[in-house]
Amino acid sequence: QSKTTQNPVPDARVCIMDTNDIVYVYGETDDSGQVSLDIPQVDPCTLYITVTKPNYLAFEGNIYALPTNMAYILYYKDSIIDQNANGFINPQEDIDMYIWLKNIGDSTAYEVSGIIQTDDSLVTIIDSNDYFGDINPHDTIMGQNGFKFKFSSYCEDNYIITLKLLAISSQGDTWLSYINKRVYSTDMELVRFQISDSPGNGNGFVEPGENFEIIATVANQGSEISLNTLGKLSSQDSGIVIMDSISDFGNINPGDSVTNTTDPFKIYADSTIPNGTHVDFKLIIFSQYEIDTFNINVTIGKKHYFVWDPDSNHSSGTVIDSLLTESGYTGDYSTDLSNFSEDSYMALFICVGVYPYNYIILENSQEAQTIENFAQSGGRLYLEGADVWYWDPQSSGHNFCPLFGINAVADGTNDLGPVQGLTGAFTQGMNFNYSGENNWIDHIQASGAGAFNIFYDSNNNYYCGVANDAGTYRTVGMSFELGGLNNGAPPSTKKALLDSIMHFFGIHGVSVKERNVFLQGLPKVTKLLGAIPNPFFKNTGILFDLAKKQRVSLLIYDATGRCVQKLIENKFLKPGNYKIEWNTKNIFQGVYFIELKTESYRGVKKGIVLK
């Protein structure tokens, strides 16, 4: 019968094959959604069945082929007794597992015993044998003593353990079943951190000779509660003294986060630290099942950014300030450049706007001099405006083109959009519609050894964004307002663009997690880490570790269980850490499953493709 639906599916093609893809028989369902197929005589085996119909989701499954008048024993269900009595398998736990077997055949299986085996190095089998006795036709029976296991502390959340159950009768008949068990663990993440200099002078950033605090927000993305979660902060910088390196985050439920506001890390920055020094901290989070390390970078003496927004309608500067703050950067916003100090900020963002609300930075003005001086002293500059490149320098405006590595080509009109990132630039893969102010958008392009184009008007064929690495300083110039971009699918978001600009500037907030830093040298266990980034657009990297040389397959399955891509197929790989690119050009948006298979391991992770 065809796969169960709310309504019968007539005219569906049903095909039955063996494991070598040899077709035994096929046919089509009738108006009631049923089909009768005569299968040739076969030995006991598993056969594959597929059901397809145009414009319907295909079904793939299996059926057991059995001759009549014989016994056939299969795994039916199980029950576990775990150490903490929460009903789930956790890392480091001893587990008692009781298994039920079912006889789906037509004859009795006599004196059945069971043997559990696994190739997974993260499981130690303590008691692999159990006795089930006689199992009558269509009857189900539980084992007498159960099986015993010990699970490794390295098991990550949602890790899948595959067990092989061999059932043996006194007549010598054997039956093999596979049992997959999920491990539930914690998965700790550093969501954000904040710097507070309130123990010092309270001016908003850390200065040499000042006491300060690091306040961290830690989330549990796993399936188990994190009990008595502790954080430990360290730094190798000789100018840093950590006066309170331990913070108690308490219990963190799955999906929740905790901020250590009442128990922050307390630090002193020595007065001899040069202004603008980047200090690296390591924050180690301890839960009962894992140890995770995160990198935190703190600038002594400077904030990350200052947004100067002289545009009279402030349609972009406020957006930039808000998104940078959300991304973990520290900075200030002002409509007055006199509030800006070169020694206090790493980057200066300038929003002069679009005609008729645009602000003109006059030639030889103090504002122009401040901007030029900041760049020449090694600062990072971002400047956006529709007329600032071509039109303003022809009247009374300052010419910033040489500083930004820009050649102003034309005055432009009100035709901007869509705005497309360029291959090879940090904007690669970005594509925005534009709904901001749209008058006299200058046409610009890169000029000079360190300059390169980063945005292009794909409809009207002109460049509208340029980045410049001048060696001692870096700049980004736009002829449109970033606040007018419309967010699309990642990476086409304003937040991602700003983060990319900050990374081009060499400025970073919270870095990515390093898992299980206590592992040194080659990996001690084989495991699939998953896709980074995830969800993703077009391509991502799949990370996995191999503890020894072995045959490897890395396969992608869709939600129906069909293999849609084979990134690695039965290939010998040496031990080490691997990152394999997954390009999704020819597959649809949706949820997919990444499977890593080796001679001793099987792991599955979810990947979400965005289009």
Side-chain angles (χ1 to χ4, degrees):
Q1 186 172 348
S2 61
K3 184 179 179 182
T4 302
T5 61
Q6 291 183 344
N7 300 302
V9 181
D11 302 323
R13 176 63 62 92
V14 181
C15 181
I16 297 178
M17 301 173 287
D18 68 6
T19 56
N20 296 314
D21 294 334
I22 295 176
V23 176
Y24 278 117
V25 66
Y26 61 88
E28 292 186 353
T29 58
D30 57 22
D31 291 341
S32 66
Q34 297 185 351
V35 62
S36 297
L37 301 174
D38 293 327
I39 302 175
Q41 178 67 38
V42 295
D43 293 328
C45 65
T46 299
L47 299 177
Y48 291 94
I49 181 171
T50 63
V51 183
T52 58
K53 182 176 179 177
N55 301 319
Y56 279 71
L57 185 66
F59 170 77
E60 295 183 16
N62 52 65
I63 56 177
Y64 298 104
L66 298 175
T68 57
N69 300 320
M70 68 172 293
Y72 200 88
I73 306 300
L74 289 175
Y75 161 85
Y76 181 67
K77 66 177 182 178
D78 65 72
S79 176
I80 66 169
I81 300 176
D82 58 313
Q83 283 179 290
N84 61 15
N86 66 355
F88 300 109
I89 297 173
N90 303 129
Q92 309 175 42
E93 271 197 316
D94 291 334
I95 300 292
D96 291 334
M97 178 185 289
Y98 292 88
I99 288 178
W100 282 259
L101 295 180
K102 183 171 185 176
N103 184 357
I104 64 173
D106 295 327
S107 298
T108 299
Y110 294 97
E111 299 180 359
V112 177
S113 60
I115 300 175
I116 281 284
Q117 301 171 330
T118 183
D119 296 325
D120 198 310
S121 61
L122 299 184
V123 183
T124 300
I125 299 177
I126 300 172
D127 186 349
S128 61
N129 296 281
D130 200 1
Y131 184 73
F132 295 83
D134 297 344
I135 307 178
N136 295 321
H138 310 295
D139 196 7
T140 302
I141 191 169
M142 184 183 76
Q144 295 181 0
N145 302 309
F147 302 95
K148 298 183 184 298
F149 308 91
K150 174 76 174 182
F151 286 83
S152 168
S153 61
Y154 298 112
C155 291
E156 295 182 357
D157 187 45
N158 291 319
Y159 185 83
I160 301 298
I161 301 291
T162 299
L163 304 171
K164 293 187 290 187
L165 173 62
L166 186 66
I168 306 171
S169 72
S170 59
Q171 288 79 23
D173 295 320
T174 60
W175 302 274
L176 180 63
S177 298
Y178 289 91
I179 306 170
N180 290 328
K181 302 302 292 183
R182 175 184 172 189
V183 179
Y184 295 78
S185 183
T186 57
D187 185 7
M188 311 309 296
E189 298 286 346
L190 175 62
V191 179
R192 70 180 65 88
F193 71 90
Q194 299 169 283
I195 305 300
S196 171
D197 71 327
S198 58
N201 59 23
N203 65 354
F205 64 96
V206 180
E207 294 176 318
E210 190 173 26
N211 292 317
F212 66 99
E213 298 173 344
I214 293 181
I215 301 168
T217 300
V218 174
N220 179 9
Q221 305 291 352
S223 304
E224 275 290 340
I225 183 174
S226 179
L227 299 173
N228 303 316
T229 311
L230 293 177
K232 181 177 181 179
L233 190 73
S234 64
S235 175
Q236 300 298 316
D237 195 297
S238 60
I240 293 295
V241 178
I242 301 179
M243 298 177 293
D244 186 353
S245 63
I246 303 297
S247 183
D248 185 357
F249 290 86
N251 298 338
I252 309 178
N253 291 318
D256 286 349
S257 62
V258 171
T259 302
N260 64 336
T261 307
T262 60
D263 186 20
F265 301 103
K266 301 181 184 299
I267 307 105
Y268 169 73
D270 193 89
S271 59
T272 60
I273 296 178
N275 207 33
T277 299
H278 305 296
V279 177
D280 292 321
F281 292 89
K282 285 192 179 295
L283 173 58
I284 303 177
I285 301 297
F286 299 86
S287 75
Q288 73 270 35
Y289 299 132
E290 63 175 328
I291 303 176
D292 292 319
T293 298
F294 305 88
N295 296 329
I296 294 177
N297 180 268
V298 176
T299 301
I300 306 299
K302 290 188 178 182
K303 291 186 179 181
H304 293 123
Y305 72 88
F306 182 93
V307 175
W308 177 38
D309 188 16
D311 177 12
S312 61
N313 62 13
H314 311 304
S315 57
S316 190
T318 54
V319 174
I320 292 173
D321 176 54
S322 175
L323 292 176
L324 286 174
T325 299
E326 288 180 15
S327 299
Y329 298 100
T330 59
D332 294 308
Y333 169 91
S334 179
T335 59
D336 188 352
L337 190 60
S338 64
N339 294 323
F340 172 76
S341 170
E342 294 180 17
D343 296 329
S344 300
Y345 301 93
M346 300 172 65
L348 173 59
F349 284 74
I350 307 167
C351 305
V352 296
V354 177
Y355 180 86
Y357 305 104
N358 60 311
Y359 181 87
I360 299 176
I361 303 174
L362 299 177
E363 179 69 15
N364 298 321
S365 65
Q366 182 59 52
E367 294 166 340
Q369 193 61 51
T370 297
I371 295 168
E372 291 275 354
N373 290 344
F374 180 64
Q376 299 305 333
S377 65
R380 301 319 195 222
L381 277 173
Y382 171 94
L383 174 58
E384 64 173 36
D387 282 329
V388 69
W389 310 107
Y390 185 90
W391 178 259
D392 288 355
Q394 296 185 33
S395 54
S396 56
H398 184 81
N399 184 10
F400 288 105
C401 289
L403 185 68
F404 281 75
I406 286 177
N407 176 30
V409 178
D411 191 25
T413 58
N414 58 343
D415 60 0
L416 181 71
V419 179
Q420 179 178 322
L422 297 181
T423 301
F426 56 80
T427 56
Q428 179 173 329
M430 296 183 179
N431 200 325
F432 296 92
N433 288 323
Y434 186 74
S435 60
E437 299 157 75
N438 199 346
N439 294 312
W440 310 107
I441 303 296
D442 285 349
H443 298 188
I444 58 176
Q445 63 184 32
S447 175
F452 53 99
N453 298 309
I454 59 173
F455 277 118
Y456 186 73
D457 185 320
S458 55
N459 274 7
N460 303 291
N461 302 319
Y462 63 85
Y463 296 107
C464 48
V466 173
N468 182 30
D469 183 356
T472 58
Y473 68 91
R474 294 185 180 183
T475 63
V476 170
M478 309 284 206
S479 58
F480 59 89
E481 293 183 311
L482 186 145
L485 298 175
N486 297 332
N487 286 332
S492 301
T493 67
K494 289 176 280 194
K495 188 174 182 179
L497 172 56
L498 279 168
D499 196 52
S500 298
I501 291 172
M502 293 295 277
H503 289 179
F504 168 68
F505 284 167
I507 304 171
H508 300 270
V510 181
S511 68
V512 298
K513 177 170 70 172
E514 300 172 359
R515 291 192 59 86
N516 299 325
V517 295
F518 47 80
L519 300 177
Q520 301 294 328
L522 292 174
K524 293 184 179 181
V525 295
T526 295
K527 58 183 176 181
L528 173 65
L529 301 177
I532 298 178
N534 188 22
F536 61 95
F537 180 75
K538 291 187 179 179
N539 55 64
T540 188
I542 298 175
L543 279 63
F544 62 88
D545 295 339
L546 293 181
K548 63 180 180 179
K549 183 178 180 180
Q550 52 193 310
R551 289 188 180 275
V552 174
S553 292
L554 186 62
L555 310 174
I556 307 297
Y557 294 86
D558 65 13
T560 70
R562 290 176 297 177
C563 181
V564 296
Q565 282 182 295
K566 297 180 179 179
L567 303 181
I568 302 175
E569 186 175 12
N570 201 29
K571 181 179 179 180
F572 269 111
L573 295 180
K574 296 179 180 180
N577 309 108
Y578 288 84
K579 180 178 181 181
I580 305 299
E581 183 179 357
W582 177 18
N583 188 301
T584 63
K585 178 180 179 181
N586 296 320
I587 67 176
F588 298 106
Q589 174 175 303
V591 177
Y592 293 82
F593 297 92
I594 307 163
E595 180 188 55
L596 176 69
K597 293 196 301 185
T598 74
E599 300 160 7
S600 60
Y601 171 85
R602 176 180 178 268
V604 178
K605 295 284 187 179
K606 188 180 296 183
I608 301 175
V609 178
L610 304 174
K611 293 289 187 178

